[in-house]
Amino acid sequence: MLEFKRFLDTKSQLYTGIDRFRAFKLFEKYKQNLDFSQKQTVFHIVGTNGKGSTGRFITQLLEGLNFKVGHFTSPHIFSFNERFFLNGDVASDELLENAHKELKELMKEDLERLSYFEYSNFLAPFIFKDCDFIVLEAGLGGEYDSTSLFKRDISVFTSISYDHIEILGDNLEDIARTKLKTMAKKAVIYEKQDENVLALAKKIACLKASELIFSSLDTDVKKYVKFYVKEYGLPAFLEKNLSLALEALFFYFSKDELIKAMKELKALKLRARCEKIAKNIYIDVGHNEGAARAMCDFFKGKKLNLVCNFFLDKNIFSILSILKPISAKIMLYDYESERKLASDEVFKIAKELDIACEKFIGIKDDELYLVFGSFLLVEKFLKGDF
């Protein structure tokens, strides 16, 4: 087995017991050899929903302009390699193994102190060392997230809403603050969200002397976005994320250059974002209220079998309430997980909401399905683990 894979096998992907200062201390110790080059431009994607697709759109648009681009995203569906997208494809085992050896040589015994997520972050400078642009997606939160340790040239804030309240706080202002405090000197934020979030963004921009732009795409560029959305049948939330990506690129490129990038843009290279995998099956890694609303908008007027399950830290009642108008029935998907699944709670809430609920046993050709939940749930489903 490759060395980086053996190392990962010793680490848990769970985020319980997070040490908010460990990565900071280690980064300070090694930052002279660990940060990105000043010649590289770094986009930092922060928010609750839409980080992955916004980052991947930025990446693909830059590739269309013939730049070398690296995109760090998380979590993954099938393999750890998916977290590193480089020049149009996921990173190879060979590239990851070499990066692991470079990081190990730098940190030596300190390497063992890193969490799964911190380790993946600290590999990025070695994997993306030859890139012109780097796109970093924050994991949990913002200011204590290890992606926030690296130099950041522009912050891109997607929609911010409730998620991971046991760690980030139980009110929207606290959640937004920990994300927005990562703001770089240049920043763009999705403008159609809670007014309190936008007001806080303005305040933090003033305190940090940041140039904050509220996403409002140029009319000529927006025309090409509409063409693209129609060609690929994108849901509204992906159109929104594409527009935000383009707005972020306006800091560095002209309108003509971005129109050229739009003309070159191919289908989104990212799995499970309202992805149609069969004539009657869609998959989506949404697992909170914002993602549920996006699904409701896209499937408005239709009834689907909702193949789902949740972890106990989610607001399951709220999520299922939002999804009720498009749910023919809930098909509870059980699978093995380090974290306890809320199967009994889903049955209970479904009864309260008067939604039919049963165990998932398979797919029928004449019914429509939405597989909705965590990355792990989608992985298990795609592997046929049921």
Side-chain angles (χ1 to χ4, degrees):
M1 181 184 288
L2 292 171
E3 198 173 324
F4 85 89
K5 292 186 177 181
R6 284 199 299 271
F7 181 83
L8 288 171
D9 283 345
T10 69
K11 302 292 179 179
S12 171
Q13 293 189 53
L14 298 184
Y15 53 77
T16 53
I18 290 175
D19 182 339
R20 294 183 171 183
F21 303 105
R22 176 182 55 226
F24 175 82
K25 292 174 183 175
L26 290 172
F27 186 82
E28 280 297 305
K29 185 175 180 180
Y30 298 108
K31 68 179 180 181
Q32 184 174 350
N33 302 105
L34 196 56
D35 207 351
F36 294 106
S37 162
Q38 289 302 312
K39 294 180 180 179
Q40 296 175 304
T41 301
V42 181
F43 289 84
H44 191 215
I45 317 294
V46 182
T48 303
N49 292 104
K51 297 191 297 292
S53 55
T54 301
R56 189 55 54 86
F57 276 131
I58 290 174
T59 301
Q60 291 183 222
L61 287 162
L62 286 168
E63 288 172 347
L65 294 173
N66 298 316
F67 290 103
K68 293 181 180 179
V69 192
H71 180 201
F72 172 79
T73 186
S74 67
H76 59 266
I77 296 178
F78 294 115
S79 75
F80 179 76
N81 304 49
E82 295 168 31
R83 296 177 180 235
F84 304 93
F85 188 82
L86 177 65
N87 296 330
D89 205 352
V90 298
S92 66
D93 280 351
E94 180 183 8
L95 183 59
L96 286 170
E97 183 72 358
N98 290 337
H100 170 84
K101 289 176 179 177
E102 289 185 79
L103 182 61
K104 183 180 178 181
E105 176 64 25
L106 174 67
M107 299 187 70
K108 297 184 169 54
E109 67 275 3
D110 280 336
L111 185 70
E112 296 295 333
R113 298 173 60 190
L114 297 175
S115 70
Y116 191 104
F117 186 72
E118 291 162 354
Y119 167 71
S120 63
N121 286 177
F122 285 6
L123 285 178
F126 300 99
I127 294 172
F128 298 147
K129 60 186 175 183
D130 295 324
C131 291
D132 304 305
F133 289 89
I134 316 295
V135 183
L136 291 181
E137 177 191 325
L140 180 63
E143 63 179 318
Y144 298 110
D145 190 90
S146 47
T147 58
S148 301
L149 298 171
F150 298 105
K151 90 174 187 87
R152 305 182 303 282
D153 296 291
I154 179 168
S155 296
V156 182
F157 296 107
T158 65
S159 60
I160 297 174
S161 57
Y162 289 93
D163 203 15
H164 301 296
I165 60 175
E166 74 285 359
I167 294 174
L168 302 181
D170 60 3
N171 66 78
L172 186 57
E173 187 171 342
D174 285 345
I175 293 170
R177 183 177 291 107
T178 192
K179 294 176 186 287
L180 292 167
K181 283 174 73 173
T182 63
M183 192 179 295
K185 290 300 181 183
K186 297 179 185 294
V188 60
I189 187 169
Y190 177 60
E191 66 175 357
K192 293 181 181 178
Q193 56 182 309
D194 190 280
E195 288 298 325
N196 292 323
V197 172
L198 298 178
L200 184 59
K202 291 177 184 177
K203 181 178 179 180
I204 290 174
C206 183
L207 291 171
K208 286 177 168 278
S210 298
E211 181 184 357
L212 176 64
I213 302 297
F214 291 80
S215 60
S216 181
L217 202 57
D218 178 90
T219 303
D220 291 335
V221 178
K222 189 181 294 184
K223 179 175 66 175
Y224 287 90
V225 171
K226 292 295 183 183
F227 291 155
Y228 181 85
V229 167
K230 184 177 181 180
E231 180 179 1
Y232 291 102
L234 296 189
F237 76 93
L238 286 181
E239 179 180 356
K240 171 193 78 176
N241 296 340
L242 172 56
S243 297
L244 183 62
L246 285 160
E247 193 70 60
L249 290 170
F250 260 114
F251 277 111
Y252 298 101
F253 299 98
S254 68
K255 179 170 68 175
D256 288 343
E257 288 173 313
L258 293 184
I259 288 174
K260 177 185 175 183
M262 278 302 306
K263 290 178 178 179
E264 296 292 328
L265 186 63
K266 302 297 189 294
L268 179 67
K269 296 179 180 179
L270 197 65
R271 297 298 308 273
R273 271 62 174 187
C274 200
E275 179 187 359
K276 188 175 184 178
I277 61 169
K279 65 177 182 179
N280 62 330
I281 307 173
Y282 290 81
I283 57 172
D284 191 271
V285 288
H287 48 270
N288 55 37
E289 291 95 324
R293 291 188 188 94
M295 294 301 100
C296 253
D297 288 342
F298 185 64
F299 293 108
K300 187 176 182 179
K302 296 181 180 178
K303 289 287 186 178
L304 307 93
N305 295 325
L306 182 63
V307 181
C308 67
N309 209 330
F310 303 94
F311 298 121
L312 288 166
D313 62 334
K314 299 301 176 185
N315 190 337
I316 302 168
F317 186 90
S318 179
I319 293 170
L320 293 181
S321 296
I322 293 167
L323 290 168
K324 181 177 178 178
I326 63 169
S327 300
K329 60 184 171 184
I330 293 170
M331 305 188 78
L332 191 66
Y333 191 92
D334 280 322
Y335 58 94
E336 289 188 8
S337 170
E338 288 185 79
R339 296 167 65 187
K340 184 175 175 56
L341 291 171
S343 302
D344 293 341
E345 189 70 11
V346 174
F347 267 116
K348 177 184 173 183
I349 291 172
K351 186 175 181 180
E352 289 179 41
L353 292 172
D354 194 27
I355 307 173
C357 186
E358 62 187 45
K359 292 278 189 178
F360 176 80
I361 56 173
I363 298 289
K364 296 180 179 178
D365 288 340
D366 59 347
E367 296 182 13
L368 190 60
Y369 296 83
L370 171 62
V371 181
F372 180 84
S374 68
F375 281 76
L376 184 57
L377 182 148
V378 169
E379 175 193 359
K380 297 290 187 180
F381 180 85
L382 289 173
K383 288 180 175 178
D385 189 3
F386 53 85

